[in-house]
Amino acid sequence: MKERILVIGAVAAGTKAAAKMKRENSEADVVIVTKDQDISYAGCGLPYFIGGLIEDRKELVVKTPGDFKAVTGVDVWIMHEATKINPQEKTANIKSLITEEEKLFYYDKLVIATGASPFVPPIQGKDLEGVYTLRTIADAVSIRESVDQGSVKKAVIVGGGFIGLEVAENLRERDIEVSVVELAPHILPPFDEEMALYAQNYMQEMGVNIFTEEKVTALEDCKGKVCRVITDQREIEADLVVLSVGVRPNVSLAREAGIEVGSTGAIKVDKSMKTSVPDIYAIGDCAETLHLVTGRPAWIPMGSTANKMGRVAAVNLMDTGKEILPGVLGTTIVKLFKLNAGKTGLSERDAKKAGYPVVTAIVPANDRAHYYPGYREIITKLIVDQETHKILGAQVIGEGVVDKPIDILATAISFGAKVEDIEKLDLAYAPPFSMAMASTIVAANVVVNKLKGKLESISPIELKNRLESVQVVDTRDEGSYTIGTIPGAINIPGGELKFRARELNPDKEIVLVCKIGKNAYLSYLTLKGLGFKKVKILDGGVRVYPFELE
């Protein structure tokens, strides 16, 4: 008899696994069961459909059920829900959401790809008209229809993560007044504070109101429709509210079947995607994996990871080879108007929390030669293990090309590279594509200098917290200093420092600043040569300092 495989769930992981299984063994009987009407769609494109950049709903649909069956040979049961898994009998209870009829499905092997669902906080008014989450095409269509009617003048996004910010951008592009409310101290919570604040300042300059460290307590009802968002600090008028405070893995079906759930709250699997129950696999946003840096369980729901999981599970399930997914880095990237922000590996915050002794550097540079038209600035932050010199993580942000350096660094981390290895990379160079010394290499050079004791620095966050206890010296020219400087800084241009060093107190810590850090480093060497001991430079210079200048 043909081997019968049931896949519960579709979209990225489920359809990827099913299609791969049929390619591995065309004789296998593979069936997908999904509660939705759409089985394979571009979930990451939903904010751009709302904004109108993607015009037609059809452009989001990768494959219709009919197309998918025709191409792969996989049977698809849409509008059906798996209500129970019976591992001992190898059966699953399947219910039609249209007829309510329930049937027993016999399987030889089972794949759970139940995904994740938006978390809706238990606040008053969450079910009002005009309040949405964004996870499916239907959600996006509802939001866009509301906007297209012309009645939405003010929108509030609850949550400052990637999806929330992308929705904010797209609504703002449609001339809607947009406010973002985030419970954390800054938007983009996975990023370190100084990098996230850079993006936050940019978003505000683009006209998005951002309120951080605020909790939404209620949504006000005006004749059955939302009209105001109430936080613990203010009231914000709203014609439309999008709740984007994160997702939770859908594990209840697995848990009830006795399948082990991991420490992250997602289904525990090994590197081949097997669960704790024989012949049952779990993939996609409902399953956890390992973090490549820490080796610890991680749950980072991403479409890219879901596809890899689906492929690995299919090969192992069909017994046509042995595939593993060693882990993930959580590599991600987001576009916010003209600003790009990418991240891979651990943040400085998470690296310290995991017990790593870290050395970091924040380095502004250009994405291509400064004399080539169209160059843009990008800011690179490297996080490196002080003991092993291995790269633990990186963040790159700016209007320039961000994906290339992030992908380089993600590759380096995956192969266990040390920061010294980055210094020696032979990267492609021509003025339209890169600086002669690529931004990634420049950042690595700065870290290596720190590891060798040639340079001491202070982060923008630490400087902000210690302004009262240090001497800040702005080494730029008087004109630049006058336009804006760190609060309390005195101005001694780098060329004059040797002759005016007596104006400084050698017993008090000195922090040298310039535009991006290069001239401050030269001034650092000057003061060190004069015998000053307590000297540091500001990482990234004034350009990266995310707080108000005076």
Side-chain angles (χ1 to χ4, degrees), residues 312-328:
V312 168
V315 172
N316 291 305
L317 190 148
M318 300 310 296
D319 201 25
T320 54
K322 291 184 178 180
E323 291 272 355
I324 65 166
L325 181 66
V328 297

Side-chain angles (χ1 to χ4, degrees), residues 262-274:
S263 58
T264 66
I267 300 169
K268 185 176 182 177
V269 294
D270 64 14
K271 293 180 180 180
S272 65
M273 302 297 111
K274 293 178 182 176

Side-chain angles (χ1 to χ4, degrees), residues 11 36-38 41-43 45-51 57 60 116-120 130-148 163 167 171 174 240-244 246-247:
V11 193
D36 297 324
Q37 192 164 3
D38 299 295
Y41 58 87
L46 299 180
Y48 305 102
F49 174 76
I50 292 170
R57 177 191 187 281
L60 294 170
S117 296
F119 172 69
V120 178
V131 179
Y132 303 91
T133 57
L134 182 60
R135 185 71 178 173
T136 67
I137 289 181
D139 296 333
V141 169
S142 296
I143 296 172
R144 179 161 162 177
E145 285 178 348
S146 179
V147 173
D148 286 347
I163 297 297
V167 173
L171 291 177
R174 298 194 62 173
L240 180 147
V241 173
V242 179
L243 301 175
S244 184
V247 295

